[in-house]
Amino acid sequence: MNPSIQLFKSESFLQNNLKLFVNRCSENFDLPFHAHDFVEYSYIAEGKGFHHIGEDIIPVHKGMLFVIPVGVPHVFRPATSSASEHPLILYNCLFNSELILTLSVIIQEQEIGDHLNDLANNQIPYVSITDAGQRMEELMVKLYRESSVPSIIGSSTMLYTLVSQLVVTTYRQLYHELHDEQGRPTDFEHILHYLDQHISERIRLNDLVRFSGWSEKHIGRMFLRYTGQTFGSYLQHLRIQKGCELLKSSQQKVSLIAEHVGYRDVDSFHAAFKRITGETPLVYRKKSRA
């Protein structure tokens, strides 16, 4: 494993007989980029920020859920350095292969069991889905409350049941999205691809109207529905994400990177970068290569 990636071990978190740990926490800039030998379900309960996972940097907001397999490095960061004023709050549910074996008695479907084993054996990439009906948030809250009072009779059974529901609910939505039953429409994917390919240009909503044939109002609704952000917010976060990638992978000057991702002056890039990531471009580059 890369020496700059810290490994979190099961014995530091899963110290009970259930081999399960659930918490609610406020993310900051102190936790290092890390991987772990357990599976993690992370739900964004409040705020906005970024999820650095593998080679990706994903803007996050309330209602997003991530499933992080064993061995996949990641870390969450709040949107700004003023974490006390604009906190990024997560629920986390951690468990290892021992609990997966226990869940196999409850979860009867072979494909879901295979999915869990693939997560435990680092055979599939991370999962990212949006909790459209707040079902996952409800399960995470129940898990957290139940795990906070483990001495109550029947607590183990209740926790196993809730974890099974979380796994099955997540898998159902993932299955639907993979089969285009609840995923983003193809035409909207074309818009996102257009933004990705023209990130260095000045892009206005009118450009998307001409490209797609949709009205500004309809495009605005599509962005809110499928990204959780306005068009302007999504575009700015995309520009900063691309800037982060270039800062990590190239030796280019910050001014040139700013131009590559669509900023006409470096001061605007600096201000947006600091507001979204909590760091200056040069500090981010230094940390990413530490």
Side-chain angles (χ1 to χ4, degrees), residues 24-266:
R24 184 179 189 273
C25 65
S26 178
E27 297 293 340
N28 53 43
F29 292 91
D30 297 331
L31 193 69
F33 197 49
H34 63 275
H36 30 69
D37 63 356
F38 48 81
V39 175
E40 177 176 347
Y41 281 64
S42 293
Y43 181 83
I44 316 300
E46 298 177 27
K48 295 182 179 180
F50 285 90
H51 191 190
H52 300 250
I53 181 165
E55 297 297 321
D56 299 333
I57 304 169
I58 303 172
V60 299
H61 55 82
K62 175 179 172 56
M64 296 180 72
L65 180 136
F66 292 85
V67 185
I68 301 101
V70 167
V72 173
H74 79 116
V75 71
F76 287 94
R77 297 296 189 214
T80 72
S81 55
S82 303
S84 59
E85 298 177 15
H86 305 283
L88 176 62
I89 308 294
L90 270 66
Y91 285 101
N92 298 300
C93 177
L94 321 177
F95 55 86
N96 64 9
S97 55
E98 290 184 52
L99 180 62
I100 291 175
L101 185 61
T102 302
L103 294 180
S104 65
V105 179
I106 303 172
I107 299 174
Q108 298 296 303
E109 290 78 10
Q110 183 66 44
E111 61 268 33
I112 302 179
D114 291 343
H115 172 70
L116 282 175
N117 287 322
D118 286 342
L119 289 169
N121 294 310
N122 195 13
Q123 296 297 307
I124 56 176
Y126 67 86
V127 172
S128 173
I129 56 179
T130 300
D131 183 20
Q134 297 185 314
R135 175 62 174 153
M136 294 170 196
E137 180 175 26
E138 179 183 338
L139 287 170
M140 279 293 197
V141 171
K142 287 181 177 179
L143 272 166
Y144 177 65
R145 289 175 178 170
E146 192 68 33
S147 67
S148 299
V149 283
S151 59
I152 293 180
I153 188 168
S155 181
S156 297
T157 302
M158 183 64 74
L159 284 168
Y160 287 150
T161 302
L162 289 169
V163 172
S164 298
Q165 290 181 34
L166 177 65
V167 169
V168 172
T169 301
T170 302
Y171 185 83
R172 279 181 173 177
Q173 184 160 335
L174 175 64
Y175 179 88
H176 288 316
E177 291 185 1
L178 289 175
H179 290 77
D180 292 325
E181 294 178 19
Q182 294 182 0
R184 295 188 297 227
T186 302
D187 288 343
F188 186 67
E189 292 286 359
H190 288 164
I191 284 182
L192 299 185
H193 182 70
Y194 176 90
L195 294 179
D196 190 78
Q197 295 301 306
H198 294 80
I199 196 67
S200 63
E201 303 172 13
R202 181 183 181 187
I203 305 173
R204 294 167 295 187
L205 201 52
N206 284 339
D207 298 320
L208 300 187
V209 170
R210 288 192 296 270
F211 173 73
S212 66
W214 293 342
S215 68
E216 288 189 10
K217 184 177 292 187
H218 182 66
I219 293 173
R221 285 196 298 263
M222 296 292 277
F223 269 94
L224 286 173
R225 179 178 180 184
Y226 293 109
T227 73
Q229 302 176 77
T230 64
F231 159 69
S233 175
Y234 179 89
L235 179 59
Q236 188 168 71
H237 280 81
L238 180 64
R239 292 191 194 281
I240 298 304
Q241 177 186 339
K242 296 293 186 183
C244 288
E245 293 171 0
L246 288 171
L247 285 166
K248 287 198 301 183
S249 63
S250 76
Q251 299 293 333
Q252 294 178 7
K253 292 182 178 179
V254 172
S255 58
L256 188 58
I257 289 176
E259 185 176 342
H260 283 330
V261 298
Y263 285 89
R264 296 296 168 257
D265 65 270
V266 70

